[in-house]
Amino acid sequence: MVMGAHRRFEPIAKCSSEGRSNQTVAADLDGTLLVSRSAFPYFLLVALEAGSLIRALLLLAACPFLYFAYLFISESFAIQCFIFITFAGLKMRDIELVSRSVLPKFYAEDVHPETWRVFSAFGKRYIITANPRVMVETFAKTFLGADKVIGTELDVTKSGRATGFVKTPGVLVGEHKRNAILKEFGSNNLPDLGLGDRESDHDFMSLCKEGFMVPKTKCEPLPRNKLPSPIIFHDGRLVQRPTPLVALLTFLWLPIGVILSLLRVYTNIPLPERIARYNYKLLGIKLIVKGSPPPPPKKGQSGVLFVCNHRAVLDPVVTAVALGRKISCVTYSISKFTEIISPIKAVALSREREKDADNIKRLLEEGDLVICPEGTTCREPFLLRFSALFAELTDRIVPIAINTKQSVFYGTTVRGHKLLDPYFVFMNPMPTYEITFLNQLPTELTVKGGKSAIEVANYIQRVLGGTLGFECTNLTRKDKYAMLAGTDGRVPAKKDKEKEMEKEKGKSLIN
């Protein structure tokens, strides 16, 4: 302790990153590896996504008192209070899912460039943090290449719920960080470099052969594309990192957004598509249409198949408004309520190839049809693999490139209530849709022209990717749901749900 108090540490700008590949680094998180010195946004995300809106509001209301406690009473006490309000009573599985599906995107947008320059040069990378280990571990290992996260451990009941308290030795601050380093490395094999940003980090930094401080200067976070792995999938409703001010403004906007969303949804349902476009302008929905859409099919002629990338649940509806006429759509999952209130005909696919092919053919005979062959939405500038079924069923194919802009809320979810997706899209102050109609595929690029269905699907994916500036991937809906929710992405039938509920009841009785 005395050693840490008297040793002086140079700023990280003076730290060399050369010849570090065989060395070990131990770095703090908040204010060191991350630009932000406060973990509040990440606690609030867990409170909201794994808990509830009420829990998030309670955490926000307690924020001024907890910051006061942090500055004038005890750093450890303030963090313990943050942990209790955020985690008490939550299922560990829910906490783990939020840590895996929601937090990485926000962490990745907050990485300190100078610390990353040094940290990434080391062969062995350790993170030591006062934050609960479960919050940080997935991001640190997947996107920062950390070998291990040493963090505060949550106390958990036998039924798998967090108590809100922490295990011995308590919150990892000051001397507890020093002891954790000694326990992990022993006294003879200590890290080559320690990185921190505040006086309480000096205790563990003094054990390392070298130590450097990250100064409290403003800087732009590291661009996300500089990290070892890209963020392709993420979940959660909030678009912006919820600092206390952003969180306050978001919650104040919420009741206004709800009223505005209801107006935007229900006033457009009875309107013809041509008039709905003017109503969009009136209600602050920005619709940008590019390209020349084809005319409606003539009598006795089958419809055009519009093939588009999938950004939000409203893609087919907004496409109909952009066209100014009624069309149908097929989708892989849609709630009964959404199907009822949809202003266009929406048919759910069964994932049975022959049955789905018959449905698509029938709908094309009735008129134009929209399909999103990715099978699920993707928020980031990536395109998932296109299912090739559509290419076998018609040679009248028009690709549509769709992009959206949502400033407050995301209108898609994996873990949440999909029923609310269209409402969340329209809860944004000015939701923006950009629809680009591309030219109809020439016959020689269709199955009728000798191409395989897979070749047609891959070609359309590349064309849409080039138009939007998105990267094409081979990832699928199954990959997305496995990563974000630990499922295969299928919507269970009623019987399957009943069986699942019986299993859960059985587990509860055993516990």
Side-chain angles (χ1 to χ4, degrees):
M1 190 96 176
V2 176
M3 184 180 174
H6 290 284
R7 186 172 165 186
R8 186 179 170 189
F9 299 101
E10 296 287 344
I12 194 169
K14 295 186 178 181
C15 180
S16 172
S17 58
E18 298 295 324
R20 302 286 197 175
S21 59
N22 294 320
Q23 294 184 3
T24 301
V25 60
D28 176 47
L29 187 69
D30 299 310
T32 303
L33 271 166
L34 301 181
V35 174
S36 171
R37 289 172 54 83
S38 169
F40 171 82
Y42 311 106
F43 280 109
L44 187 128
L45 285 164
V46 175
L48 180 64
E49 298 292 345
S52 64
L53 177 61
I54 293 171
R55 187 186 289 262
L57 287 168
L58 180 62
L59 184 66
L60 180 62
C63 185
F65 306 102
L66 297 181
Y67 275 126
F68 179 86
Y70 184 94
L71 293 171
F72 300 107
I73 300 175
S74 162
E75 183 179 347
S76 178
F77 172 74
I79 295 171
Q80 173 65 79
C81 291
F82 268 119
I83 289 172
F84 184 82
I85 296 170
T86 303
F87 293 101
L90 295 184
K91 290 180 182 178
M92 281 303 294
R93 173 166 169 75
D94 290 336
I95 296 168
E96 288 164 0
L97 284 173
V98 170
S99 301
R100 185 170 72 190
S101 62
V102 179
L103 297 187
K105 179 253 185 188
F106 293 96
Y107 278 133
E109 293 173 344
D110 196 26
V111 175
H112 198 293
E114 192 64 18
T115 312
W116 175 248
R117 173 187 67 81
V118 175
F119 187 79
S120 61
F122 281 76
K124 289 283 184 182
R125 306 171 194 173
Y126 287 77
I127 293 174
I128 181 159
T129 175
N131 292 333
R133 176 186 53 80
V134 67
M135 280 176 62
V136 181
E137 196 165 51
T138 298
F139 167 71
K141 289 186 174 181
T142 306
F143 300 99
L144 298 182
D147 293 280
K148 187 170 183 178
V149 174
I150 304 168
T152 301
E153 295 293 340
L154 297 178
D155 184 56
V156 182
T157 65
K158 288 181 180 178
S159 61
R161 290 183 181 271
T163 63
F165 298 103
V166 299
K167 292 181 179 177
T168 305
V171 177
L172 288 195
V173 171
E175 194 172 354
H176 289 323
K177 276 189 179 179
R178 176 189 175 93
N179 294 336
I181 289 288
L182 285 169
K183 183 180 177 182
E184 178 67 29
F185 295 96
S187 55
N188 298 321
N189 193 29
L190 292 166
D192 297 280
L193 180 68
L195 300 174
D197 70 297
R198 62 199 79 192
E199 193 175 334
S200 60
D201 291 329
H202 290 184
D203 291 295
F204 89 85
M205 291 169 65
S206 65
L207 293 171
C208 305
K209 296 170 188 174
E210 296 178 85
F212 289 88
M213 291 289 286
V214 179
K216 301 176 187 178
T217 52
K218 286 187 177 181
C219 68
E220 287 297 312
L222 183 80
R224 269 174 33 183
N225 60 8
K226 300 291 184 184
L227 293 175
S229 301
I231 302 277
I232 299 176
F233 300 126
H234 56 88
D235 202 16
R237 290 296 190 184
L238 298 185
V239 173
Q240 299 179 49
R241 189 166 63 92
T243 60
L245 179 59
V246 169
L248 178 62
L249 293 174
T250 300
F251 292 143
L252 288 174
W253 170 258
L254 194 59
I256 302 168
V258 169
I259 295 167
L260 192 56
S261 176
L262 292 172
L263 282 171
R264 286 167 169 174
V265 171
Y266 290 103
T267 58
N268 282 310
I269 289 174
L271 296 178
E273 278 67 25
R274 286 185 180 181
I275 298 174
R277 188 165 178 180
Y278 294 105
N279 200 41
Y280 273 26
K281 286 183 181 178
L282 187 66
L283 294 173
I285 304 167
K286 190 175 181 182
L287 176 58
I288 302 164
V289 181
K290 298 179 179 179
S292 303
K298 295 175 183 176
K299 196 171 183 181
Q301 186 182 34
S302 64
V304 169
L305 182 63
F306 294 105
V307 178
C308 61
N309 61 300
H310 205 3
R311 300 296 279 178
V313 69
L314 291 170
D315 293 348
V317 175
V318 178
T319 300
V321 174
L323 282 165
R325 63 179 187 261
K326 287 285 182 191
I327 55 174
S328 303
C329 75
V330 288
T331 178
Y332 281 97
S333 61
I334 185 171
S335 70
K336 200 68 183 172
F337 181 71
T338 304
E339 192 175 342
I340 291 167
I341 68 165
S342 174
I344 64 172
K345 186 175 182 179
V347 177
L349 295 174
S350 64
R351 299 185 189 276
E352 295 176 22
R353 191 175 181 81
E354 290 182 9
K355 188 177 178 181
D356 290 340
D358 289 340
N359 275 333
I360 292 171
K361 284 178 184 175
R362 177 176 54 79
L363 290 167
L364 281 169
E365 287 171 5
E366 296 174 5
D368 294 336
L369 177 67
V370 175
I371 189 169
C372 303
E374 288 174 287
T376 188
T377 56
C378 185
R379 298 171 173 180
E380 295 299 317
F382 295 90
L383 295 181
L384 309 188
R385 190 175 74 199
F386 278 30
S387 168
L389 175 63
F390 73 89
E392 301 172 8
L393 307 177
T394 182
D395 61 324
R396 298 191 68 208
I397 299 171
V398 174
I400 302 178
I402 296 179
N403 209 352
T404 60
K405 185 180 179 184
Q406 296 153 76
S407 57
V408 180
F409 301 108
Y410 283 116
T412 60
T413 184
V414 168
R415 297 177 54 257
H417 300 288
K418 291 184 180 294
L419 172 71
L420 300 177
D421 284 357
Y423 301 96
F424 272 102
V425 173
F426 283 152
M427 278 168 63
N428 287 286
M430 185 178 280
T432 302
Y433 255 95
E434 186 175 300
I435 310 283
T436 304
F437 292 94
L438 304 181
N439 294 329
Q440 182 174 320
L441 255 63
T443 306
E444 61 267 24
L445 291 178
T446 66
V447 170
K448 188 177 180 181
K451 298 289 184 182
S452 71
I454 293 173
E455 286 176 320
V456 176
N458 289 344
Y459 173 77
I460 293 175
Q461 187 199 37
R462 288 196 302 273
V463 168
L464 293 179
T467 303
L468 294 163
F470 289 4
E471 185 179 330
C472 296
T473 75
N474 279 319
L475 297 170
T476 64
R477 175 188 175 92
K478 191 174 181 180
D479 296 317
K480 173 183 169 179
Y481 277 79
M483 191 177 296
L484 300 183
T487 67
D488 62 2
R490 293 187 181 184
V491 180
K494 194 173 180 182
K495 287 182 180 179
D496 296 332
K497 286 183 179 178
E498 287 172 359
K499 285 180 182 177
E500 195 64 34
M501 286 175 71
E502 285 175 11
K503 280 184 183 178
E504 288 296 323
K505 284 179 183 177
K507 285 179 184 176
S508 298
L509 288 170
I510 291 167
N511 290 331

